[in-house]
Amino acid sequence: MTGVGRTAVGPVDADRLPALRRRTTAVLVASQILGGLGVATGIALATVLARQISGTDALSGLAPTATVTGTAVLSMPMAALMTARGRRPGLVLAYLVGALGAGVVVVAARVGSFPLLLCGLAAFGAASSANLQARFAAADLAEPHHRARAISNVVWATTLGAVLGPNIAAPAGRSVTGLGIPATAGPFLWAAGIFVIAAVVVGVLLRPDPLLTARALAPEEERSPEARSLRAGLTAVAASPRARLALVTVTVSHTAMVSVMSMTPVDLAHHGAGIDLIGLVISGHIAGMYAFAPLMGRLADRVGRLSVAGLAAGLLAVALFLAGTAGDSHGQIAAGLFVLGLGWSAGLVSGSALLTDAVPQSARAAAQGLSDLAMNTSAGVGGAIAGLVVAQASYAWLNLATAGLLVPLAALVLLTRGRSRHNGKGSGEGNGTAAADSPTGVRQS
């Protein structure tokens, strides 16, 4: 066997790589199922719980805002930890913080404290950060022409847990009523236990660490501590037009999804929907987000990242039209939320693959942390504004306002595609990693 690198846990050779890729993917899939189950179980009723405690729709939008704010705040410390120690410590810590946050939410619901609820939801968002970062862990060892597929397979795994999550919200709520805990807080108690199990799975089984292994296989010049700093990641993104487009793609897709999805349960409740129907609609939405991720990954690998980013903008526009014009039609809102999930999936997969392609291996963990910081910060602001828009205007106006975010995304996709055609297919951008118009965005030989 030909040795090609060494990690902290021993030698890495070419013959072991396929088996190591499969093992890494299997562990990440297991953790994503658990993480998706825990996050979706709690998030399904977060805005409803916030409305019950605060007594107003205007403040209910702060529930998803607190969650995505926590996800955003933790994204850079996670990136720094992963940059220094690898994927495994960062993922384990994020799941444990998420479990702690879920427990705080239960306490807040029991005592009726809205500020404490927001604090708990912010810590709960750490689990979402772990789920998001896992997609990049899948790309660490993937072959460049299969990178989007590797990302999408791990994103898809979340389907199994995330679709089930909202549908067990009701039994989770009923399970705690005898304890003096509001039914809408029951799902968070279940989520805490699920996150602990996810942390154990990652901590015990994600060995050797995929990021550290990828570094061992990287060229010698990409192994210096300076090349792996957060500043180096920011510099790499700033230097690449395609990396900047990737950042815009994931940020707009995530902000549009969070803003509309977070207020849909409130709108459904205003039109007579009960917890079971709300859970069903959110399950359909989550199925759109995750179940078709492998299709988006294969499209991104075959027809190109830019094409799938453009598809994301189109799907999101259709979704906002359906949801915004639904009125009291529960079926049309459900259809709109399903398509909204599809648009999010296309944007997340294509943008994540494009970002990974566009920056050097040494700077990827930092650049990926920056991406999650941007998308979750923007989504947090969107969620807060969404509650105010619905309270002061309507759910229809929320969808119309969100549609405005798609204009710069579509324009940037067209501009980047035009620049790629002008430069010529396969020509590099000058950063040493991305090609101008190849499907993968990787320099073609």
Side-chain angles (χ1 to χ4, degrees):
M1 293 187 295
T2 304
V4 294
R6 177 174 294 273
T7 70
V9 295
V12 177
D13 55 66
D15 291 343
R16 288 183 57 201
L17 276 177
L20 182 55
R21 289 188 185 108
R22 291 192 296 271
R23 173 183 170 82
T24 299
T25 299
V27 175
L28 292 171
V29 164
S31 69
Q32 285 293 90
I33 293 173
L34 292 167
L37 176 61
V39 170
T41 300
I43 288 299
L45 295 178
T47 52
V48 178
L49 177 60
R51 185 181 183 279
Q52 287 179 353
I53 295 178
S54 68
T56 173
D57 288 348
L59 293 180
S60 64
L62 292 180
T65 297
T67 302
V68 296
T69 298
T71 305
V73 168
L74 283 163
S75 59
M76 292 311 291
M78 273 187 66
L81 180 58
M82 289 179 180
T83 296
R85 303 283 299 277
R87 300 289 186 189
R88 185 167 54 88
L91 294 176
V92 168
L93 178 62
Y95 280 127
L96 292 178
V97 172
L100 176 63
V104 172
V105 168
V106 174
V107 173
R110 180 69 177 82
V111 301
S113 172
F114 188 68
L116 187 61
L117 172 70
L118 296 182
C119 291
L121 287 172
F124 181 84
S128 293
S129 188
N131 282 357
L132 289 170
Q133 283 290 318
R135 76 192 191 277
F136 291 124
D140 286 333
L141 298 176
E143 297 173 294
H145 57 286
H146 287 153
R147 195 167 280 150
R149 184 178 304 179
I151 291 171
S152 67
N153 286 341
V154 171
V155 173
W156 169 85
T158 312
T159 309
L160 301 179
V163 172
L164 179 61
N167 290 293
I168 66 172
R174 289 191 292 266
S175 71
V176 301
T177 53
L179 304 175
I181 299 173
T184 46
F188 287 94
L189 186 60
W190 285 29
I194 293 169
F195 292 153
V196 170
I197 296 173
V200 171
V201 168
V202 172
V204 173
L205 300 179
L206 193 62
R207 300 169 185 268
D209 190 282
L211 179 59
L212 300 183
T213 302
R215 283 185 186 155
L217 302 175
E220 189 68 32
E221 63 270 16
E222 295 188 4
R223 300 184 193 176
S224 67
E226 293 78 10
R228 300 196 300 263
S229 68
L230 295 179
R231 176 176 293 182
L234 179 60
T235 300
V237 171
S240 170
R242 295 173 77 89
R244 296 196 298 270
L245 170 60
L247 214 62
V248 172
T249 300
V250 297
T251 298
V252 168
S253 300
H254 196 57
T255 302
M257 185 276 292
V258 169
S259 299
V260 174
M261 182 274 291
S262 63
M263 296 310 298
T264 298
V266 175
D267 184 70
L268 286 169
H270 285 164
H271 290 100
I275 289 179
D276 290 336
L277 178 57
I278 291 172
L280 185 62
V281 171
I282 298 300
S283 290
H285 166 67
I286 294 173
M289 290 173 65
Y290 299 115
F292 295 87
L295 172 62
M296 301 304 177
R298 281 158 178 74
L299 283 174
D301 281 338
R302 293 178 65 87
V303 305
R305 319 299 200 218
L306 296 183
S307 297
V308 179
L311 174 63
L315 289 170
L316 291 170
V318 171
L320 297 174
F321 173 79
L322 289 173
T325 60
D328 60 358
S329 172
H330 295 160
Q332 186 171 330
I333 289 181
L337 265 288
F338 174 74
V339 179
L340 184 70
L342 289 178
W344 177 88
S345 181
L348 186 77
V349 170
S350 63
S352 299
L354 184 61
L355 179 66
T356 304
D357 294 337
V359 298
Q361 194 283 329
S362 57
R364 281 176 190 162
Q368 291 158 352
L370 176 64
S371 170
D372 282 358
L373 172 65
M375 65 187 275
N376 286 294
T377 299
S378 181
V381 173
I385 295 175
L388 296 174
V389 171
V390 171
Q392 299 299 321
S394 68
Y395 181 72
W397 275 103
L398 171 62
N399 282 271
L400 179 61
T402 304
L405 299 175
L406 304 181
V407 176
L409 171 59
L412 193 55
V413 169
L414 293 175
L415 179 63
T416 305
R417 181 178 291 279
R419 183 187 297 116
S420 298
R421 289 174 176 169
H422 177 73
N423 291 340
K425 185 173 182 178
S427 61
E429 286 183 341
N431 62 6
T433 57
D437 198 32
S438 66
T440 63
V442 177
R443 183 182 297 280
Q444 304 297 305
S445 58

